[in-house]
Amino acid sequence: MTWQPKPPPATGLTRAQYSGWACCWCHTSLADGARSAGRAEGSAGAHDLSVEVYECGPKCPERPRRRRRTPETDQSGGTP
């Protein structure tokens, strides 16, 4: 299983992102194709606003990257 970043919250999406017309990360038009980025969660009062969102691809410049564990950032307490 590959790592997948959590999509932005549904309440912070533009109309184009919420409707699936634009990348949820970089706002690029998805007219040439897209892939699922996951489910953006959110609500307004009792109304569930969660929606499936899309990205322009794994090479999207704004897509969050997985941080690699290094001895400086590793907080597991063991020796590296």
Side-chain angles (χ1 to χ4, degrees), residues 33-76:
R35 69 180 210 160
S36 174
R39 187 167 175 83
E41 304 286 333
S43 64
H47 303 281
D48 183 14
L49 302 176
S50 300
V51 64
E52 183 78 15
V53 291
Y54 300 90
E55 62 185 2
C56 52
K59 301 290 185 189
C60 176
E62 300 295 320
R63 185 177 192 256
R65 303 290 181 229
R66 185 175 188 178
R67 295 189 353 218
R68 296 187 183 268
R69 291 177 57 180
T70 63
E72 296 80 35
T73 61
D74 185 12
Q75 302 296 322
S76 62

